[in-house]
Amino acid sequence: VMTNSSRVALGFSLLLCFSALSMFIIPVSAFEQVIGSPDIEVYSPDNRLSPGEETSLEVYVSNAGDIRQPGPAEYVDRVTTARALSIEALDRNHPFDITTGRYPVGSVPQGTTDPIPISLTVPDTATPGTYQIPVRVRYAYTSIVNYDTGGSPEYADRTANRVVQLNVRIVDRARFEIANATSTTKVGGRGETILTISNVGSEPARAATVAM
């Protein structure tokens, strides 16, 4: 039978044991995470080309951002921004001759860049239709930010090397070339020059005018 004095002694010893154990508990500060990545695509609003055309295609880089775990705005901006981004249109699986090499763009936060010129030539024999130009996109980004209220944030940085598709259309159009030019005019004199202008496109031209 446990007496009152033994109950007090037992309770006191348990209290001492609990106090001794509590001295070895190390407080751990909790941290939070922001997780995400850039989401890069390329577009060209004026993407209609015609056979035989030499042009500079205006390409826009769009970054929608992908947030998998949100947090403070500064860290969300960090994980969704593509840093040191560059693009390169590739000569692969399309009829175009591309003369622009790798183009440095810089940092691209969520949003759309200014137009980037990509010079290309469409062969005279190109068949009308929709084509995809592969565009290699390279950039650096932060995938995870670990942060707490008591210290500096920690960043997990990565690099990306992706290929995205740029849609381009070849359409039937009227297209003119000077087929022949003759003149009997001498230097310092007056005379006539005869031009032969041909429509070498795939569509007829209506209400055409010529000015020199």
Side-chain angles (χ1 to χ4, degrees):
V1 178
M2 185 177 292
T3 62
N4 290 335
S5 59
S6 61
R7 290 193 185 95
V8 172
L10 178 61
F12 182 69
S13 62
L14 290 174
L15 178 61
L16 288 177
C17 291
F18 177 76
S19 299
L21 289 173
S22 65
M23 294 176 62
F24 293 95
I25 297 176
I26 300 174
V28 178
S29 58
F31 65 87
E32 301 288 343
Q33 286 186 325
V34 174
I35 303 174
S37 62
D39 184 9
I40 303 296
E41 297 291 343
V42 291
Y43 302 94
S44 182
D46 187 14
N47 65 347
R48 294 163 59 90
L49 308 174
S50 59
E53 183 178 5
E54 296 182 14
T55 186
S56 181
L57 195 65
E58 291 191 340
V59 177
Y60 295 80
V61 177
S62 173
N63 180 9
D66 181 15
I67 301 296
R68 291 183 288 281
Q69 185 164 316
E74 59 181 311
Y75 301 141
V76 169
D77 291 341
R78 174 89 184 200
V79 299
T80 56
T81 295
R83 303 188 300 274
L85 183 141
S86 65
I87 66 172
E88 181 181 8
L90 305 177
D91 282 316
R92 185 189 302 168
N93 302 326
H94 58 74
F96 310 108
D97 180 19
I98 298 173
T99 56
T100 299
R102 186 175 176 181
Y103 194 99
V105 181
S107 291
V108 180
Q110 292 187 82
T112 304
T113 66
D114 293 331
I116 299 164
I118 302 296
S119 297
L120 56 83
T121 301
V122 186
D124 291 328
T125 57
T127 303
T130 300
Y131 296 86
Q132 289 186 325
I133 298 177
V135 178
R136 186 178 301 281
V137 181
R138 299 180 176 94
Y139 56 88
Y141 71 102
T142 299
S143 60
I144 300 174
V145 179
N146 294 324
Y147 68 96
D148 58 36
T149 57
S152 300
E154 297 178 352
Y155 304 116
D157 292 332
R158 296 183 178 182
T159 58
N161 187 342
R162 301 174 50 216
V163 174
V164 296
Q165 301 297 328
L166 175 66
N167 291 324
V168 177
R169 292 186 62 196
I170 298 178
V171 297
D172 293 329
R173 288 180 178 174
R175 183 167 52 89
F176 296 95
E177 288 183 357
I178 296 178
N180 189 29
T182 59
S183 177
T184 58
T185 306
K186 296 181 180 181
V187 176
R190 293 177 177 270
E192 291 183 348
T193 297
I194 300 174
L195 301 178
T196 302
I197 301 176
S198 298
N199 178 5
V200 296
S202 53
E203 285 290 297
R206 299 174 179 81
T209 61
V210 177
M212 295 181 62

